[in-house]
């Protein structure tokens, strides 16, 4: 008989809590367990506390996971729910990603105060984003507009937009859907024109390696095709040593046992980009991503990466 609830670790933002609640609901349904069999533990992370400078300057992606992973290693929580795009490619020893929930829409959403699309923004307009990937792709498509650093959770960014701090912003469609905020979207950016971040739209669940009980509990909610797509995208990212310091975009799709992949690297100012694609048996997902990363490195040449420091 279970003596204590399964402890689910999460950040405290509204979106992070929505993802933790979704995970709990899926586990409850999969195992016919009551809500009180799980406890959601909110853990303060550096990435949420640091608001005065870009994350790239403060330490990168690990700022959203470090304290939660410490709680996992200490045994204070049993599993951790993360946005996959926030996960570094190298995890602490003793931890692994055990489960991916089925991926949501990967597209970026454009939210304008007056303009309905990115193309509609007038010359000299201001668009806010904290993502180097989004900043670089915006500058690539619209070098005539001003892209500014724009930190804060979803609600903070929407409030700043309404107050006129910027003319528009971009947010992940998946996150807005999970928060019930689809109504604020003025248009969606097709992945063919505006590639998402590696892992965008997917929730992942991390636990201790060898924790057979938790791994067995998580197994029924794992979505295999999402896991394969993310293995490819994360391998691409790892081959490029990617982090919050680097503008990298990637998207893998699994259909009928086949995997198709597209990746892109950009100069931060959008002045130079390189794209790569790959396809193969989905079982070779990680190899496809690693190979694409190696090929795009060779294609871009060593000088391209001098801006990535």
């Amino acid at each position: 008989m279970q003596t204590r609830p399964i402890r689910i670790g999460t950040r405290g933002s509204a979106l992070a809590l929505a993802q933790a609640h979704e995970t709990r609901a899926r586990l409850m349904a999969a195992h016919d367990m009551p809500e009180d069999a799980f406890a959601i533990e909110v853990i303060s992370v550096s990435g949420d506390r640091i608001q005065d400078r870009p994350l790239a300057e403060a330490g990168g992606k690990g700022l959203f996971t470090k304290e939660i992973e410490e709680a996992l290693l200490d045994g204070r929580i049993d599993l951790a729910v993360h946005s996959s795009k926030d996960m570094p490619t190298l995890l602490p020893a003793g931890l692994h990603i055990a489960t991916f929930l089925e991926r949501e829409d990967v597209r970026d959403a454009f939210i304008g105060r007056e303009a309905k699309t990115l193309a509609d923004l007038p010359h000299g307009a201001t668009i806010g984003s904290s993502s180097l990937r989004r900043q670089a792709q915006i500058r690539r498509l619209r070098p005539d507009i001003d892209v500014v650093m724009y930190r804060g959770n979803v609600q903070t960014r929407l409030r700043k937009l309404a107050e006129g701090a910027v003319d528009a912003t971009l947010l992940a469609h998946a996150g807005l859907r999970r928060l019930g905020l689809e109504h604020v979207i003025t248009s969606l950016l097709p992945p063919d024109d505006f590639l998402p971040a590696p892992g965008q739209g997917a929730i992942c669940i991390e636990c201790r390696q060898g924790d057979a009980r938790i791994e067995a509990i998580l197994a029924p909610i794992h979505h295999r095709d999402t896991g394969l797509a993310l293995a490819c995208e994360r391998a691409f990212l790892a081959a490029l040593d990617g982090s919050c310091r680097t503008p990298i975009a990637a998207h893998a799709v699994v259909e009928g046992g086949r995997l198709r992949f597209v990746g892109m690297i950009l100069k931060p100012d959008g002045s130079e980009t390189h794209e790569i694609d790959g396809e193969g048996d989905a079982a070779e997902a990680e190899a496809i991503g690693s190979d694409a990363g190696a090929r795009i490195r060779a294609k871009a040449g060593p000088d391209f990466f001098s801006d990535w420091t």
Side-chain angles (χ1 to χ4, degrees), residues 21-184:
H21 289 147
E22 179 178 342
T23 299
R24 179 177 65 184
R26 287 175 182 258
L27 288 169
M28 289 166 57
H31 298 283
D32 192 24
M33 296 169 75
E35 186 174 301
D36 62 8
F38 302 90
I40 293 177
E41 305 284 348
V42 174
I43 297 169
S44 175
V45 299
S46 304
D48 290 330
R49 295 193 297 269
I50 297 170
Q51 296 292 325
D52 60 344
R53 59 194 187 277
L55 289 178
E57 295 178 7
K61 286 189 178 185
L63 294 172
F64 286 122
T65 60
K66 180 176 180 288
E67 290 88 351
I68 297 175
E69 289 174 331
E70 288 172 350
L72 261 180
L73 290 168
D74 290 348
R76 286 176 280 143
I77 58 174
D78 300 302
L79 58 94
V81 178
H82 304 282
S83 293
S84 296
K85 66 182 179 61
D86 291 338
M87 293 296 285
T89 54
L90 183 62
L91 303 182
L95 302 180
H96 73 131
I97 298 174
T99 300
F100 290 96
L101 301 188
E102 184 172 3
R103 195 175 208 169
E104 264 276 12
D105 192 332
V106 303
R107 289 176 292 179
D108 283 305
F110 178 87
I111 306 163
R113 283 194 302 121
E114 297 182 6
K116 300 300 184 186
T117 69
L118 182 60
D120 290 341
L121 281 173
H123 181 91
T126 301
I127 187 166
S129 176
S130 63
S131 159
L132 293 186
R133 171 193 62 87
R134 288 182 180 135
Q135 291 175 6
Q137 290 194 84
I138 293 166
R139 290 174 175 132
R140 174 194 182 211
L141 296 172
R142 291 293 309 271
D144 59 303
I145 63 176
D146 187 20
V147 184
V148 299
M149 180 56 61
Y150 199 61
R151 290 294 315 282
N153 61 32
V154 171
Q155 288 79 2
T156 298
R157 296 184 205 191
L158 292 176
R159 176 181 53 77
K160 288 180 180 178
L161 175 65
E163 292 172 351
V166 293
D167 297 305
T169 189
L170 298 183
L171 293 169
H173 185 203
L176 292 169
R177 285 181 64 168
R178 291 183 177 120
L179 290 170
L181 292 172
E182 279 190 283
H183 62 278
V184 305

Side-chain angles (χ1 to χ4, degrees), residues 5-24:
I6 295 166
R7 297 159 300 175
I8 301 171
T10 177
R11 293 163 56 192
S13 71
L15 178 55
L17 288 170
Q19 294 178 160
H21 289 147
E22 179 178 342
T23 299
R24 179 177 65 184

Side-chain angles (χ1 to χ4, degrees), residues 175-240:
L176 292 169
R177 285 181 64 168
R178 291 183 177 120
L179 290 170
L181 292 172
E182 279 190 283
H183 62 278
V184 305
I185 299 170
T186 51
S187 61
L188 292 169
L189 296 163
D192 290 347
D193 299 330
F194 206 95
L195 269 180
Q200 185 158 314
I203 295 170
C204 69
I205 305 171
E206 186 180 25
C207 70
R208 291 178 289 274
Q209 288 179 329
D211 190 336
R213 170 174 166 265
I214 295 300
E215 289 171 347
I217 287 171
L218 291 173
I221 66 170
H222 176 65
H223 190 258
R224 181 176 180 273
D225 285 355
T226 298
L228 291 168
L230 269 289
C232 180
E233 293 175 16
R234 286 175 59 77
F236 178 72
L237 198 61
L240 294 166

